[in-house]
Amino acid sequence: MKNKLGKQTFQFPLKPRIIGSCSIVGEKEGKGPMAKWFDIILEDDTFGEKTWEKSESKMLKQALLLALQRSGLEKDQIDSMLTGDLINQLMPSSFMARDLSIPFLGIYGACSTMTESMILGSMMIDGLYASNILIGASSHYCTAERQFRMPLEHGNQRPPSAQWTSTAAGGMVLSANDKGDAAVTQGQDVKEIYITHATPGKIIDAGIKDVNQMGAAMAPAAVDTIVRHLMDTQRAPEFYDLILTGDLGLIGKQIAMDLLNGAGMDVANIYDDCGAMMYFESQDTHGGGSGCGCSASIFSGYVYKEMRSGKIKNALLVSTGALLSTISPQQGESIPGIAHAVAVTTEGGN
Amino acid sequence: MASKEKELNNKPKKEVAKKYEQYVKQFTPRPKYFSNSLKAFLVGGLICMAALYIQNMLVDKGLSEKSAGAYVTVILICLAQLLTGLGVFDTISKFAGAGVIVPITGFANSMVAPAIEYKKEGPVLGIGAKLFSIAGPVLVCGISVSVIIGIISYFMR
């Protein structure tokens, strides 16, 4: 067990780099507080396509291709591609991949997909099975609404705890080699980003049955993974400049903070949540953002750029997922939560 | 043996779930029941007032009360359908809630919304199959309850 730390954590001696990244968001997200960090903001959420699924597919493809372009690599240098989304049978991902002719592994981790793909991609590189990997995740408000909830035009009132599925996609290029990013090749002073550790999470089901309480359903899983990661790596929370969960939203963020406090960790200054960051309160999303694209776009937009410029040195990214299905709530099942953590750093490269 | 059975039964413990639900409640804002009810009452009342006004007008023009009622229903349905198609109805109902959902306008919306949504899956397996996806369960339950109440009222007479 050479590369395993403690109970659940992997370490990557080869330190795969993130050498390219791109984030795309929809209209509403583009009016939110994070707007300046995104690479592309759609003027129209259909993205010129006839169906919402096609639009989501196109967003993901665009994000991956732009990330690839920025990494300075060519398509045929990519060994494998790992992406996922929320839609049945991974329709947006699979259809995005069908004319790229890159070996494709579709993954489903609900909204935890971004870090799940980061973990698996890093392991492939660290295990010497690949040199360059494309990873990504997407979600679209309209595809998620029609699959999990109601038709778009149906009139109803959402409860205050309901979260808003973000129309967003993020893509990254992981690589065993350095260089990457047009800025680096132009000789600008930007930092290299390394992936050093990853902690895949256990499913934690706290028994929440209300599908409008996703944040509360996922918060225990996020806290479990964060605490486990810190124990396994023997790091203090202060080691990180930023601990960022995926889409716990406004309510889930408070719960996670409270639970972490209860575990004796004061993270008030370093902890945040992508779902809570995505929208202004005036945008009336109630509980904040959710969806794979929420953490995918903020990791590959905000976090990536801040790390490149050296403002963030060590970050722990924890995408969180609610692993319910469209029928499980009707069968009286509670919502299983999951969270996967990835530690990224700009320090200690070799 | 008992522990093995316990492991197979992979449901979260009830006591834990209950305690966690209680704990979560303190972080969850409560819906604004009073202002929501007030808005629903006002908007719903206005719709009914308008409907009655139109009905009276039609009766004045010489229609029988029964057919005037039918015309009013049709007018309300068409209006709600039109607003749904224009993409305004969901905004109105976000404000008014039950005020527009309880009158026949809500029923019209619940038919047109899936019709628009599932158009992409084709006229038969898309619209045809999904048209009643929201209204259907309401109809089934509504009619079932009315049958039961009908039986009760038959024996009470």
Side-chain angles (χ1 to χ4, degrees):
Chain A
M1 287 302 198
K2 209 168 59 178
N3 292 333
K4 199 176 162 197
L5 291 180
K7 253 185 148 173
Q8 262 168 259
T9 302
F10 309 136
Q11 57 176 344
F12 304 119
L14 286 189
K15 294 182 182 164
R17 295 163 167 84
I18 305 173
I19 61 167
S21 156
C22 175
S23 56
I24 300 185
V25 297
E27 222 183 320
K28 189 181 181 100
E29 293 69 24
K31 288 178 186 147
M34 302 304 287
K36 66 171 176 176
W37 299 106
F38 301 126
D39 298 300
I40 297 175
I41 294 169
L42 301 188
E43 278 167 25
D44 170 14
D45 284 357
T46 61
F47 209 175
E49 293 295 326
K50 274 193 183 138
T51 70
W52 299 118
E53 287 78 10
K54 275 186 187 158
S55 153
E56 183 177 344
S57 214
K58 191 173 170 184
M59 276 172 67
L60 183 59
K61 191 171 185 177
Q62 183 79 274
L64 292 176
L65 289 179
L66 256 176
L68 180 64
Q69 192 190 331
R70 287 182 179 175
S71 72
L73 296 177
E74 293 298 323
K75 210 173 72 179
D76 53 8
Q77 289 174 283
I78 299 294
D79 298 297
S80 196
M81 180 165 64
L82 288 80
T83 69
D85 51 76
L86 291 173
I87 302 310
N88 290 337
Q89 288 81 39
L90 294 185
M91 182 177 172
S93 277
S94 313
F95 284 67
M96 170 281 296
R98 66 179 166 182
D99 54 354
L100 285 183
S101 52
I102 297 171
F104 169 70
L105 295 164
I107 51 176
Y108 186 82
C111 311
S112 70
T113 306
M114 194 56 186
T115 45
E116 190 175 351
S117 64
M118 273 170 107
I119 294 174
L120 295 171
S122 304
M123 287 170 82
M124 285 168 80
I125 289 173
D126 207 69
L128 303 176
Y129 291 99
S131 303
N132 303 302
I133 299 263
L134 256 180
I135 60 156
S138 67
S139 58
H140 196 301
Y141 175 73
C142 303
T143 57
E145 268 321 278
R146 77 201 299 257
Q147 178 175 303
F148 289 101
R149 288 171 283 265
M150 290 286 185
L152 285 182
E153 297 302 333
H154 181 249
N156 54 6
Q157 281 178 324
R158 302 159 66 247
S161 61
Q163 286 173 251
W164 189 278
T165 308
S166 301
T167 303
M172 286 182 185
V173 181
L174 309 184
S175 177
N177 311 309
D178 49 5
K179 282 206 307 188
D181 203 320
V184 182
T185 46
Q186 283 163 21
Q188 289 177 27
D189 182 32
V190 291
K191 304 275 188 258
E192 290 257 39
I193 306 172
Y194 306 92
I195 300 176
T196 57
H197 297 83
T199 309
K202 301 191 288 276
I203 288 187
I204 308 275
D205 190 332
I208 295 283
K209 288 187 175 176
D210 183 355
V211 291
N212 289 312
Q213 278 283 18
M214 297 285 199
M218 297 186 288
V223 171
D224 183 78
T225 303
I226 293 170
V227 171
R228 175 51 65 190
H229 172 84
L230 296 173
M231 275 166 73
D232 286 349
T233 54
Q234 297 182 328
R235 286 174 173 173
E238 296 79 43
F239 176 86
Y240 292 104
D241 306 315
L242 176 69
I243 296 178
L244 193 58
T245 49
D247 58 348
L248 299 182
L250 298 166
I251 296 167
K253 180 185 165 185
Q254 284 178 12
I255 295 172
M257 290 262 269
D258 194 57
L259 290 174
L260 283 168
N261 257 328
M265 292 173 190
D266 181 23
V267 291
N269 296 322
I270 50 169
Y271 172 70
D272 214 330
D273 179 78
C274 299
M277 293 156 87
M278 189 59 112
Y279 303 102
F280 286 118
E281 208 189 324
S282 58
Q283 287 181 296
D284 209 14
T285 58
H286 300 224
S290 71
C292 309
C294 189
S295 62
S297 61
I298 289 185
F299 291 169
S300 45
Y302 167 70
V303 178
Y304 177 83
K305 287 175 185 170
E306 285 286 70
M307 289 191 85
R308 275 296 202 199
S309 67
K311 289 225 179 72
I312 299 173
K313 290 191 177 71
N314 292 293
L316 186 66
L317 311 177
V318 192
S319 288
T320 45
L323 296 171
L324 78 169
S325 87
T326 50
I327 51 170
S328 67
Q330 289 156 8
Q331 294 181 352
E333 287 283 1
S334 49
I335 302 168
I338 196 156
H340 304 301
V342 174
V344 284
T345 180
T346 54
E347 290 170 335
N350 31 24
Chain B
M1 200 58 203
S3 71
K4 258 198 174 163
E5 247 169 50
K6 235 182 195 173
E7 200 156 273
L8 271 178
N9 182 10
N10 63 356
K11 278 195 174 164
K13 287 203 183 88
K14 258 190 190 158
E15 318 87 73
V16 179
K18 217 168 214 177
K19 268 198 184 143
Y20 185 61
E21 213 183 314
Q22 281 297 323
Y23 167 75
V24 165
K25 254 190 196 152
Q26 57 177 314
F27 297 97
T28 314
R30 290 167 64 81
K32 295 168 192 150
Y33 290 118
F34 183 75
S35 76
N36 282 351
S37 309
L38 197 71
K39 284 177 200 164
F41 176 75
L42 286 176
V43 177
L46 277 174
I47 291 174
C48 295
M49 248 172 68
L52 198 65
Y53 180 77
I54 299 168
Q55 188 179 352
N56 288 343
M57 217 168 63
L58 291 174
V59 172
D60 283 349
K61 291 263 159 79
L63 276 176
S64 74
E65 200 162 309
K66 207 174 172 187
S67 48
Y71 275 112
V72 170
T73 310
V74 171
I75 290 171
L76 283 183
I77 290 175
C78 287
L79 211 62
Q81 285 173 330
L82 189 70
L83 289 175
T84 305
L86 293 174
V88 199
F89 192 91
D90 56 338
T91 318
I92 299 172
S93 77
K94 198 176 135 193
F95 171 81
V100 285
I101 296 170
V102 173
I104 195 121
T105 43
F107 187 76
N109 167 255
S110 76
M111 301 275 292
V112 177
I116 298 171
E117 188 69 55
Y118 297 102
K119 196 179 139 213
K120 288 143 198 156
E121 279 83 30
V124 179
L125 294 177
I127 298 173
K130 302 279 188 172
L131 193 60
F132 282 92
S133 61
I134 305 168
V138 181
L139 285 181
V140 170
C141 297
I143 293 170
S144 304
V145 170
S146 66
V147 167
I148 295 168
I149 291 178
I151 293 169
I152 294 172
S153 88
Y154 175 80
F155 283 111
M156 276 175 64
R157 243 185 267 166

